[in-house]
């Protein structure tokens, strides 16, 4: 079904399974190198040898040399740079953004991380990491400032598109796969922003006032998994304060939890300009100041000389940095630019974008479009003729190429039907760097054209960026008006959304027969959307966020919570954010967490637990039968939620604790089986300072979304 050119460098199973490569023609003229030569193996040194070598280097270092290692300096072509110390054979260290591509110079514009999360595909997340690691390496970058593993708390959050959504388990799963992928290429990942970095308003000063249980259950699990499971090399300390103390000097976060409790062996880097002190930051766990040495250069030397920071503390920082550099083989293979197969990156980027598209609604199977029955298609909206390659800020990419939806649709349709485009309005300049072309079309024109055509496809987007939260979660400009107007003119209207996270669809969601959420798909935007609309790709994404019917339905709805009063954001909603909140208050969302349709149907049956009684710590597996009952090949994300029926503390009605994405041919069925672990049933008890599994009844809820539970089973923990 798919056209796919297989290249040696793209032999990774996951993204080749059902990859597409129509956009590759565009790349064909580019020089294709081999990434193979870049896959430098890590230094094959044992841990004890690394330890000895690092200690030997530190023994020879002067204090100024040590100080030089713990802060950055400005260097063109990098976001962060630590110069080499040739006398000791220490190479330079180079750092770059970010989570949606390699920021410096034109490069692959990958789909936004939120699209990756919407794929619910661990193997694809690893491919995304591999592709980015490969590209970073070829561009001479040692550390990729990614992934962002903060949880979406505030719907307006300017950086929501950089995250993996509202759920800690999904975030942890996608993040660990992504990190493993990046690091497999000999590039360090940097999990950011530690911790509770959930808004852009007052981002440099706000204090997240958050209780310990909420931190542990919602905001920290992805960092914990990054450290324990993915062995992430570095962690970025956030701009904000947590419970009154800046993250970069927060001993509870950096020392007690990250280093002591989780056993983090890597180093902590401050976000750019997030260091606020010398002595406190140095003594409380920060290892490297970025981007310069405002606090960790001359001032740190003085503090050491004055006895306020011990040399042992400095040695620990240098040891952490050098140990990782040696583990990653940087001493043997210093950062160097090399040939790069952009073709391979393009395939991964496109596969992720495809897999992340969420079909929110498809009444009467309006999609996929069958060209045989169509004479004319209206394509409407200023952003139909603009590629949505990504969001703004440090995650912004300068793409190698960008496919516009209008161009891709026109190309697919060919001579079979007429495509009539109306730009509609254009008001303000949403993204200064990617300004929409202004046009003179009016709503009346759009409506007239929509009415005259067999069907209409209307495109809308938002623009999210670091540094500013959105003013509202309604679509900006007059796009809601446009969608409503087009729907009034033609009932057969498909709404395509390119938004970085939650938007309010309540003005037309009930009336629109088909809604496609495509996020920021990256450089292949148009191709991906056209392939979904025409059924070349069967959508399989699921929402990593809850879409509310009204803004006030969301957990974080008071000024005390957001943006905060007197620079304090009260996390008074506790663990009840996202679907946990909607469940608790029995509020009907517009589209629930985990929701996403397919062009085929799936049947769930035969749930079985390995045991009906376990003791805490015992393994428990759940198995069921999944069948594709439709006529197309497609993938379903089977979601496993746990409910603690008898808890002594208030717990969410359900929490995601497992998922499996399963590809099935028409008529095919497969057993889907997962194993839970102790953490699947636990809550964090701040009094005992540990995770607790309470005896009693539990339920496993298996669903196609958090609100479409198909099977349940009960068990007891004795
Ligand atoms: C962002 C980080 C980014 C850094 C370097 C900061 O403003 O918060 O996410 O990695 O800049 O560009």
């Amino acid at each position: 079904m798919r056209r796919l050119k297989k290249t040696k460098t793209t032999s990774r199973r996951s993204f080749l399974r059902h990859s597409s490569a129509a956009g590759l023609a565009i790349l064909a003229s580019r020089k294709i190198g081999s990434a193979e030569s870049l896959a430098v193996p890590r230094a094959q040194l044992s841990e004890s040898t690394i330890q000895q070598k690092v200690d030997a280097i530190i023994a020879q270092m002067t204090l100024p040399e040590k100080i030089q290692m713990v802060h950055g300096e400005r260097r063109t072509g990098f976001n962060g740079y630590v110069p080499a110390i040739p006398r000791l054979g220490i190479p330079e260290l180079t750092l770059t953004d970010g989570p949606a591509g390699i920021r410096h110079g034109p490069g692959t514009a990958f789909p936004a991380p939120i699209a990756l999360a919407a794929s619910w595909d661990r193997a694809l997340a690893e491919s995304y990491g591999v592709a980015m690691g490969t590209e970073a390496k070829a561009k001479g970058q040692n550390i990729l400032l990614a992934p962002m593993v903060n949880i979406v708390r505030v719907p307006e959050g300017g950086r929501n598109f950089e995250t993996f959504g509202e759920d800690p388990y999904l975030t942890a799963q996608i993040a660990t796969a992504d990190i493993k992928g990046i690091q497999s290429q000999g590039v360090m990942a940097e999990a950011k922003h530690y911790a509770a970095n959930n808004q852009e308003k007052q981002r440099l000063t706000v204090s997240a006032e958050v209780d310990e249980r909420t931190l542990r259950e919602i905001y920290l699990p992805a960092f914990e998994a990054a450290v324990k499971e993915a062995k992430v090399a570095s962690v970025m300390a956030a701009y904000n304060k947590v419970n009154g103390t800046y993250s970069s000097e927060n001993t509870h976060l950096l020392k007690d939890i990250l280093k002591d409790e989780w056993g983090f062996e890597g180093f902590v880097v401050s976000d750019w300009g997030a260091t606020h002190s010398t002595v406190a930051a140095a003594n409380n766990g920060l290892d490297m100041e970025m981007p310069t040495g405002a606090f960790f250069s001359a001032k740190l030397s003085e503090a050491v000389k004055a006895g306020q920071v011990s040399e042992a503390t400095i040695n620990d920082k240098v040891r952490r940095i050098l140990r990782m550099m040696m583990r990653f083989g940087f001493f043997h293979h210093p950062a160097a630019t090399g040939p790069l197969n952009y073709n391979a990156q393009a395939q991964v980027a496109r596969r992720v974008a495809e897999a992340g598209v969420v079909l929110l609604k498809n009444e009467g199977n309006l999609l996929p479009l069958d060209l045989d029955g169509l004479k004319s298609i209206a394509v409407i909206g200023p952003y139909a003729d603009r590629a949505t390659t990504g969001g703004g800020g440090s995650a912004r990419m300068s793409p190698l190429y960008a496919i516009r939806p209008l161009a891709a649709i026109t190309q697919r349709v060919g001579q079979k039907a007429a495509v009539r485009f109306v730009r509609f309005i254009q008001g303000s300049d949403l993204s200064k760097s990617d300004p929409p072309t202004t046009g003179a079309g009016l709503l009346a024109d759009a409506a007239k054209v929509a009415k005259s055509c067999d069907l209409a496809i209307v495109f809308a987007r938002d623009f999210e960026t670091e540094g500013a939260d959105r003013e509202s979660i309604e679509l900006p400009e007059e796009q809601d008006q446009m969608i409503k107007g087009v729907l009034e003119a033609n009932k057969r209207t498909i709404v395509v959304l390119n938004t970085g996270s939650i938007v309010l669809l309540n003005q037309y969601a009930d009336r629109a027969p088909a809604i496609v959420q495509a996020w920021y798909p990256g450089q292949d935007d148009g191709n991906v959307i056209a392939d979904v609309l025409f059924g070349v790709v069967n959508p399989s994404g699921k929402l990593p966020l809850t879409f509310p019917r009204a803004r006030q339905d969301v957990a974080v709805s008071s000024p005390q919570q957001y943006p905060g009063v007197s620079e304090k954001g009260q996390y008074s909603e506790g663990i009840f954010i996202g679907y946990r909140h909607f469940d608790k208050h029995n509020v009907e969302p517009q589209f629930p967490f985990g929701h996403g349709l397919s062009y085929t149907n799936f049947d769930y049956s035969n749930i079985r637990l390995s045991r009906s009684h376990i003791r805490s710590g015992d393994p428990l597996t759940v198995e069921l039968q999944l069948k594709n009952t439709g006529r197309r090949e497609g993938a379903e994300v089977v979601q496993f939620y746990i409910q603690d029926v008898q808890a002594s503390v208030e717990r969410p009605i359900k929490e995601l604790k497992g998922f499996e994405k399963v590809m099935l041919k028409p008529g095919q069925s497969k057993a889907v089986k997962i194993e839970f672990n102790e953490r699947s049933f636990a809550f964090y008890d701040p009094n005992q300072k540990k995770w607790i599994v309470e005896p009693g009844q539990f339920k496993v809820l298996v669903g196609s979304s958090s609100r479409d539970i198909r099977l349940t089973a009960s068990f007891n923990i004795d």
Side-chain angles (χ1 to χ4, degrees), residues 79 97 103 145 159 192-193 203 236 239 271-272 394 466:
N79 289 104
D97 285 304
R103 184 171 168 192
L145 304 174
R159 303 188 76 169
K192 68 190 189 182
H193 309 83
R203 68 170 177 159
M236 188 187 293
Y239 282 127
D271 199 342
W272 273 229
S394 57
E466 177 184 338

Side-chain angles (χ1 to χ4, degrees), residues 111-187:
I114 195 76
L116 175 66
S119 79
W120 294 59
D121 188 331
R122 298 177 184 91
L124 209 48
E126 195 177 330
S127 300
Y128 185 87
V130 168
M132 256 186 244
T134 308
E135 192 162 324
K137 180 138 204 152
K139 293 182 171 176
Q141 304 287 359
N142 296 139
I143 304 186
L144 190 62
L145 304 174
M148 173 160 174
V149 303
N150 297 113
I151 299 296
V152 171
R153 171 177 183 259
V154 174
E156 291 84 0
R159 303 188 76 169
N160 289 352
F161 73 99
E162 292 186 59
T163 74
F164 298 133
E166 72 184 25
D167 182 75
Y169 177 81
L170 177 61
T171 299
Q173 292 293 304
I174 298 297
T176 49
D178 186 14
I179 293 166
K180 285 178 187 168
I182 294 167
Q183 298 198 153
S184 73
Q185 300 309 298
V187 169

Side-chain angles (χ1 to χ4, degrees), residues 422 424-425 441-448 481-486:
V422 185
F424 176 59
I425 33 119
L442 295 166
L443 182 54
D445 288 345
K448 209 161 91 194
Q481 285 299 106
M482 168 180 76
I483 296 172
K484 282 193 292 184
V486 173

